[in-house]
Amino acid sequence: GIQVEQSPPDLILQEGANSTLRCNFSDSVNNLQWFHQNPWGQLINLFYIPSGTKQNGRLSATTVATERYSLLYISSSQTTDSGVYFCAVVRAGGYQKVTFGTGTKLQVIP
Amino acid sequence: EAGVTQSPTHLIKTRGQQATLRCSPISGHTSVYWYQQALGLGLQFLLWYDEGEERNRGNFPPRFSGRQFPNYSSELNVNALELEDSALYLCASSHQGAPGSPLHFGNGTRLTVT
């Protein structure tokens, strides 16, 4: 099956700092989503981005499908950004099985 | 528009018992997915239902089973509970009209097996 790896696995930021999270995948995809899982376990949709670039406030994401990676940018981080960030993909041409990456655990300290 | 709803929020069972978890998808969504997330770990794919049929299954033993009803809601059943079944169980739904439609998650059911 498709492999999805995220980096870094852990990240500690000072409030106000910027960061870039990466998601690499091993096969062509027709669906890529970024999620934020808060400390209460809720998974929040951030972006649906199988290709291209999107922005939503302090967050933006870019997927380069031909090179099989996606980046999530967090600018001016806040303590509420803490949690785990997952990317999830669906391999192109197959069943719609969603595979999650390993996650990046982000802690933003005041 | 109501989101994906899961019940119960918390469930405590003892070893050997059965657990039933429920999920209602977003209106208009026909696909339901179940994931298991053990403490501190990632999401492991359990089951995918669409139009009442099981479409795909993750690497879990047969005591994990489920079904999807005509109204597209779904149940996950776990028989002969083991301590390691303790986890957050997340349900997601999507509209299966085109490949790659985004997932929307519920808030999960936290199952504790003692």
Side-chain angles (χ1 to χ4, degrees), chain A residues 75 78 97 109:
Chain A
S75 63
Q78 301 175 356
K97 177 185 170 183
I109 54 178

Short mmCIF file of all heavy atoms in Angstrom, two decimals, chain A residues 75 78 97 109:
data_model
loop_
_atom_site.label_atom_id
_atom_site.label_comp_id
_atom_site.label_asym_id
_atom_site.label_seq_id
_atom_site.Cartn_x
_atom_site.Cartn_y
_atom_site.Cartn_z
N SER A 75 2.15 30.20 10.37
CA SER A 75 2.85 31.45 10.67
C SER A 75 2.31 32.04 11.97
O SER A 75 1.17 31.79 12.36
CB SER A 75 2.67 32.46 9.53
OG SER A 75 1.30 32.79 9.41
N GLN A 78 0.41 30.16 17.64
CA GLN A 78 -0.25 30.45 18.91
C GLN A 78 -0.36 29.16 19.71
O GLN A 78 -0.29 28.07 19.16
CB GLN A 78 -1.64 31.03 18.65
CG GLN A 78 -1.62 32.30 17.82
CD GLN A 78 -3.00 32.82 17.46
OE1 GLN A 78 -4.01 32.20 17.76
NE2 GLN A 78 -3.04 33.97 16.80
N LYS A 97 -9.49 4.17 -0.10
CA LYS A 97 -8.99 3.90 1.24
C LYS A 97 -8.10 5.06 1.63
O LYS A 97 -7.14 5.38 0.94
CB LYS A 97 -8.21 2.60 1.27
CG LYS A 97 -7.59 2.30 2.62
CD LYS A 97 -6.72 1.07 2.56
CE LYS A 97 -5.92 0.91 3.84
NZ LYS A 97 -5.01 -0.24 3.78
N ILE A 109 4.84 27.02 22.92
CA ILE A 109 4.98 27.49 24.30
C ILE A 109 4.95 29.01 24.36
O ILE A 109 5.45 29.67 23.45
CB ILE A 109 6.27 26.93 24.93
CG1 ILE A 109 7.49 27.27 24.07
CG2 ILE A 109 6.16 25.43 25.12
CD1 ILE A 109 8.79 26.79 24.66
#
